[in-house]
C-alpha cells in the first residue's frame, strides 16, 4: 500500500495538461477503456454461444459445465466491473451536463432550470438499466440576492470594488447597508476571529476585517456579530475567490463578504490610517422545492444496503462540471456496469440536491430514514470532485492512520478497497481528513462506515504531491473551483478514469460479499435524528467552504 501522508493538505474541502502517472506522462487518453472493450468483443465472438464467457456452453457462468441459469448472461457479476468502465460514455455524460449548464444560464444550481434538467437527464439515463428509480422532494431555505453587493472605500481614498472579481457575498449572509470604519481582528493569525476573546475592545458599529482560516466562516461571523460589528469582511488566505457559505440558518444577521487576498491585505494596511468602507447586501431566504434522485437494485438483501452518493447541484457561479458533474457521471457509469450483475447486497445510487448550500439533500435523507432503514446501511461511498485538472489522488482516511481522525468503524475497510486499484498500478494516494464537508457527513454522524475519493479544489498542490503525482506545485488543484470556468475543459480524463475504476472495484467487492461490513452493523452506536451537521468543531478541510 503506497500512501503519502500529507497532514497539511486542505483536503478540500481540495493546470491543464496535468498527468496521472508518477513520471508525469499524460494519461488523458481512453486507451484503457478501449482496450477492455476490444477484449470483451473478441470474447463474445470467439465461442459461438453468445454468452460472453468464452466456454461455449451458453450458460453465461464461464465454468464450461453448462449448468448456468440458462439466460446467457453474466448476472452473478463474475467479471471485473472496473474493466467495464467506459471513459467515452462518462465523458458523454459530462458533455450533456455541460450542455445543460450552457443552455440554462451557465449554472445547474439549486432551484434553477439547470438543476431540474440535470435530474431529468440522469433519470432518463437510468430508466433502461432496470433499477427502481425514485425522487425525494424536500424544501430548502435558499439564499437569494436581488441586487449586486457593494463594497467601496469612501475615505480617505474612494475606491469602488467589483463584485465577482474583488469580492463575493457569502451564502446566507444577513442583509444590510453600512458605512463604517474597518477594524482588523488578528489579521496575521491563522485562526483570525475564531475566538470570542479576539474581539475584546472591538468598537461596536465598526466593520470587522478577518482573515480566512482556522474555523468556520459562521464562527467568525457570529463572534463579530456578538461583538457589535455592523458587517464582516473575510479575506482569502490563498488568493482569489470562490463561493463560500455560512451554512443554512447560520443565525448571522449582518452582511458578510469574502474578498480576495490582495484586497484584504490592502484593507488591512488601510486600517492604520482609518479606512471607511460602504458595504451593502440585498438578500433574503426564499423557500425552494428541490429533489434527490435514487436508483436502487431490484436484487440484493434489503437488510444489507450499500449507498453510493454524489451531489448533482452546482454553485450559481458556474455549470459545475468537475464539481460535481464528475461524481454524478462516475455514478452513472457504475450504475451501467452493475446493471448486468445480481448483487448480494442491495445497492442504492444517490444523486443529492442542495449540497452546495450546506449538505441539505443528504442530511434530509438521513433524517427521514427510520432507525431500521439506517441500520441496514452497511457503508456509504462518496464521490465529489473526482477529475480536478491539477489533481492529487485523495482517498478519505477511514482508519485515521494518515490524519489522526478515523471514521466510524468499518471506514478503514472501505478505504482499503478504494486504495487497492491504485496499489495495483503502483500509484500513490494521499489520505484526506474525514471532516464532514461533503455528503458523507450525515451518514458518518449516524455511525455508518464511510469512504470516498476526490481530487482537490482551490487549495494549492504541495511540492511532495507534485513530485509523486505530477502536476504543478503551488497551483490550485482546481483553479476553476466554484467559478464560471468549471466547464468540460476543466476535467483531467486520466484521473477521472482511474477514480471510476477504483470506485468500481470497491462497489463490486462489497456488493458481492458484504459480510465484512455487515458484521459491524450489529454493534453500531444507537442512531438518533440528525440536524444539519455542525462543522464548528472541525478545524481542517475546505471542500465546500462551510468553514475556512
Amino acid at each position: 500500500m503506497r500512501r503519502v501522508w500529507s497532514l497539511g493538505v486542505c483536503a478540500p474541502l481540495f493546470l491543464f495538461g496535468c498527468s496521472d502517472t508518477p513520471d508525469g506522462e499524460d494519461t488523458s487518453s481512453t486507451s484503457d477503456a478501449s482496450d477492455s472493450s476490444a477484449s470483451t468483443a473478441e470474447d463474445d465472438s470467439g465461442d459461438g454461444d453468445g454468452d460472453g464467457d468464452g466456454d461455449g456452453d451458453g450458460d453465461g457462468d464461464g465454468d464450461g459445465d453448462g449448468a448456468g441459469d440458462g439466460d446467457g448472461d453474466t448476472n452473478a457479476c463474475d467479471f471485473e466491473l472496473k474493466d467495464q468502465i467506459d471513459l467515452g460514455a462518462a465523458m458523454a455524460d459530462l458533455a450533456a451536463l455541460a450542455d445543460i449548464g450552457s443552455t440554462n444560464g451557465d449554472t445547474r444550481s439549486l432551484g434553477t432550470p439547470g438543476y431540474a434538467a440535470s435530474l431529468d437527464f440522469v433519470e432518463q439515463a437510468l430508466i433502461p438499466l432496470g433499477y427502481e428509480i425514485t425522487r425525494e422532494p424536500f424544501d430548502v431555505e435558499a439564499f437569494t440576492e436581488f441586487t449586486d453587493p457593494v463594497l467601496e472605500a469612501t475615505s480617505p481614498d474612494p475606491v469602488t470594488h467589483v463584485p465577482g472579481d474583488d469580492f463575493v457575498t457569502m451564502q446566507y449572509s444577513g442583509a444590510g447597508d453600512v458605512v463604517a470604519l474597518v477594524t482588523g481582528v488578528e489579521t496575521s493569525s491563522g485562526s483570525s476571529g475564531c475566538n470570542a476573546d479576539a474581539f475584546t475592545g472591538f468598537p461596536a458599529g465598526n466593520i470587522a476585517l478577518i482573515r480566512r482560516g482556522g474555523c468556520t466562516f459562521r464562527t467568525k461571523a457570529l463572534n463579530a456579530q456578538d461583538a457589535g460589528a455592523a458587517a464582516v469582511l473575510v479575506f482569502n488566505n490563498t488568493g482569489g475567490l470562490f463561493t463560500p457559505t455560512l451554512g443554512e440558518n447560520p443565525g448571522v444577521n449582518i452582511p458578510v463578504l469574502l474578498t480576495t487576498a490582495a484586497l484584504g491585505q490592502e484593507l488591512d494596511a488601510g486600517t492604520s490610517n482609518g479606512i471607511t468602507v460602504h458595504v451593502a447586501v440585498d438578500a433574503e431566504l426564499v423557500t425552494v422545492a428541490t429533489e434527490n434522485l435514487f436508483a436502487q437494485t431490484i436484487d440484493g438483501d434489503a437488510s444489507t444496503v450499500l449507498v453510493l452518493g454524489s451531489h448533482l447541484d452546482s454553485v450559481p457561479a458556474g455549470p459545475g462540471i468537475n464539481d460535481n458533474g464528475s461524481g454524478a457521471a462516475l455514478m452513472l457509469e457504475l450504475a451501467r456496469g452493475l446493471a448486468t450483475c445480481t448483487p448480494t447486497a442491495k445497492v442504492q445510487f444517490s444523486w443529492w440536491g442542495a449540497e452546495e448550500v450546506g449538505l441539505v439533500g443528504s442530511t434530509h435523507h438521513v433524517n427521514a430514514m427510520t432507525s431500521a432503514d439506517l441500520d441496514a446501511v452497511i457503508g456509504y461511498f462518496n464521490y465529489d470532485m473526482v477529475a480536478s485538472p491539477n489533481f492529487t489522488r485523495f482517498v478519505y482516511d477511514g482508519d485515521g492512520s494518515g490524519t489522526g481522525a478515523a471514521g466510524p468503524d468499518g471506514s478503514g475497510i472501505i478505504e482499503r478497497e478504494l486504495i487497492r486499484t491504485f496499489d495495483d498500478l503502483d500509484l500513490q494516494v494521499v489520505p484526506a481528513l474525514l471532516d464532514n464537508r461533503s455528503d458523507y457527513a450525515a451518514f458518518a454522524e449516524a455511525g455508518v462506515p464511510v469512504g470516498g475519493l476526490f481530487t482537490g479544489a482551490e487549495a494549492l498542490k504541495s511540492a511532495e504531491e507534485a513530485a509523486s503525482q505530477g502536476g504543478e506545485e503551488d497551483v490550485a488543484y482546481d483553479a476553476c473551483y466554484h467559478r464560471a470556468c468549471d466547464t468540460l475543459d476543466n476535467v483531467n480524463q486520466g484521473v477521472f478514469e482511474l477514480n471510476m475504476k477504483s470506485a468500481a472495484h470497491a462497489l463490486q467487492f462489497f456488493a458481492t460479499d458484504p459480510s465484512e461490513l455487515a458484521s459491524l452493523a450489529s454493534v453500531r452506536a444507537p442512531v438518533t435524528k440528525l440536524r444539519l451537521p455542525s462543522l464548528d468543531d472541525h478545524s481542517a478541510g475546505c471542500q465546500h467552504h462551510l468553514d475556512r
Side-chain angles (χ1 to χ4, degrees):
M1 182 181 295
R2 303 183 65 208
R3 295 198 279 182
V4 179
W5 307 135
S6 183
L7 299 179
V9 170
C10 176
L13 302 199
F14 332 1
L15 242 114
F16 295 91
C18 299
S19 68
D20 191 52
T21 58
D23 63 2
E25 181 180 333
D26 184 13
T27 61
S28 62
S29 74
T30 61
S31 58
D32 286 350
S34 299
D35 289 347
S36 64
S37 297
S39 174
T40 301
E42 182 178 348
D43 289 345
D44 284 350
S45 61
D47 59 13
D49 61 22
D51 64 14
D53 65 14
D55 62 17
D57 63 21
D59 66 18
D61 65 10
D63 62 12
D65 65 8
D69 61 13
D71 63 8
D73 63 19
T74 52
N75 68 353
C77 220
D78 53 355
F79 55 86
E80 291 291 331
L81 190 59
K82 68 180 180 181
D83 292 340
Q84 309 303 308
I85 291 298
D86 185 343
L87 177 61
M91 288 303 299
D93 293 334
L94 282 182
L97 291 172
D99 184 63
I100 287 170
S102 66
T103 56
N104 288 281
D106 291 321
T107 188
R108 299 184 303 103
S109 60
L110 169 68
T112 66
Y115 182 71
S118 298
L119 278 172
D120 290 343
F121 166 73
V122 174
E123 184 174 48
Q124 290 301 310
L126 290 166
I127 287 173
L129 302 179
Y131 291 101
E132 180 183 354
I133 301 170
T134 57
R135 293 194 183 201
E136 181 181 40
F138 60 98
D139 290 339
V140 182
E141 291 294 306
F143 178 78
T144 304
E145 282 193 273
F146 301 105
T147 59
D148 286 341
V150 173
L151 175 57
E152 55 188 3
T154 59
S155 68
D157 300 310
V159 180
T160 298
H161 302 292
V162 180
D165 290 338
D166 301 321
F167 70 98
V168 293
T169 310
M170 288 204 186
Q171 299 289 293
Y172 296 96
S173 164
D177 192 326
V178 178
V179 177
L181 283 168
V182 176
T183 298
V185 180
E186 297 182 322
T187 52
S188 62
S189 168
S191 57
S192 171
C194 290
N195 299 308
D197 290 348
F199 291 86
T200 300
F202 183 88
N206 281 14
I207 295 171
L209 179 66
I210 304 172
R211 183 185 178 196
R212 176 188 174 198
C215 62
T216 66
F217 291 135
R218 177 175 179 269
T219 296
K220 295 174 187 287
L222 286 176
N223 283 339
Q225 179 173 278
D226 290 345
V232 179
L233 305 176
V234 180
F235 64 94
N236 202 351
N237 56 5
T238 60
L241 297 174
F242 51 88
T243 304
T245 180
L246 294 167
E248 191 182 23
N249 301 320
V252 177
N253 303 314
I254 57 177
V256 184
L257 305 180
L258 176 78
T259 80
T260 63
L263 177 54
Q265 291 161 7
E266 177 185 325
L267 293 170
D268 193 29
T271 59
S272 61
N273 297 321
I275 184 171
T276 299
V277 302
H278 174 207
V279 172
V281 172
D282 179 17
E284 66 180 29
L285 297 182
V286 176
T287 300
V288 176
T290 190
E291 294 174 296
N292 296 321
L293 176 66
F294 305 114
Q296 190 171 80
T297 56
I298 302 300
D299 298 302
D301 181 359
S303 68
T304 306
V305 182
L306 298 173
V307 179
L308 285 69
S310 295
H311 74 88
L312 188 57
D313 61 319
S314 75
V315 294
I321 300 307
N322 182 37
D323 182 20
N324 184 38
S326 63
L330 176 152
M331 295 257 292
L332 263 179
E333 187 60 15
L334 294 185
R336 291 189 188 100
L338 192 69
T340 60
C341 302
T342 303
T344 302
K346 191 170 284 291
V347 178
Q348 175 185 296
F349 297 96
S350 313
W351 286 266
W352 306 117
E355 188 269 1
E356 295 287 8
V357 296
L359 319 181
V360 181
S362 54
T363 303
H364 169 82
H365 179 68
V366 172
N367 283 342
M369 295 174 76
T370 66
S371 294
D373 287 342
L374 195 50
D375 285 344
V377 178
I378 62 170
Y380 175 78
F381 300 74
N382 197 70
Y383 300 111
D384 189 355
M385 300 185 68
V386 292
S388 302
N390 193 36
F391 65 86
T392 284
R393 293 180 291 268
F394 289 111
V395 180
Y396 288 124
D397 186 22
D399 63 8
S401 59
T403 63
D409 287 349
S411 300
I413 297 171
I414 294 175
E415 178 191 14
R416 181 196 71 204
E417 294 308 318
L418 286 169
I419 289 172
R420 191 174 300 278
T421 297
F422 299 107
D423 280 351
D424 290 346
L425 296 170
D426 201 31
L427 295 172
Q428 292 182 342
V429 300
V430 174
L433 184 67
L434 282 164
D435 51 14
N436 280 11
R437 283 164 180 78
S438 193
D439 285 305
Y440 60 84
F443 290 92
E445 292 193 354
V448 175
V450 297
L453 305 169
F454 59 84
T455 49
E458 95 300 344
L460 305 183
K461 190 167 193 171
S462 70
E464 295 79 8
E465 291 164 8
S468 67
Q469 306 203 22
E472 299 183 65
E473 175 186 349
D474 289 333
V475 172
Y477 301 116
D478 182 355
C480 289
Y481 175 63
H482 282 191
R483 297 177 61 194
C485 57
D486 187 9
T487 64
L488 196 60
D489 292 331
N490 194 45
V491 167
N492 184 291
Q493 295 186 37
V495 76
F496 184 37
E497 184 175 33
L498 278 169
N499 278 333
M500 286 192 288
K501 289 179 178 290
S502 168
H505 164 76
L507 171 58
Q508 181 173 10
F509 183 90
F510 294 112
T512 56
D513 184 5
S515 59
E516 194 172 8
L517 288 177
S519 67
L520 301 173
S522 62
V523 295
R524 188 180 300 164
V527 174
T528 58
K529 292 293 182 182
L530 303 174
R531 58 184 174 82
L532 184 68
S534 173
L535 304 182
D536 292 1
D537 297 331
H538 305 278
S539 61
C542 52
Q543 184 165 4
H544 287 296
H545 299 300
L546 289 150
D547 93 318
R548 303 223 308 184

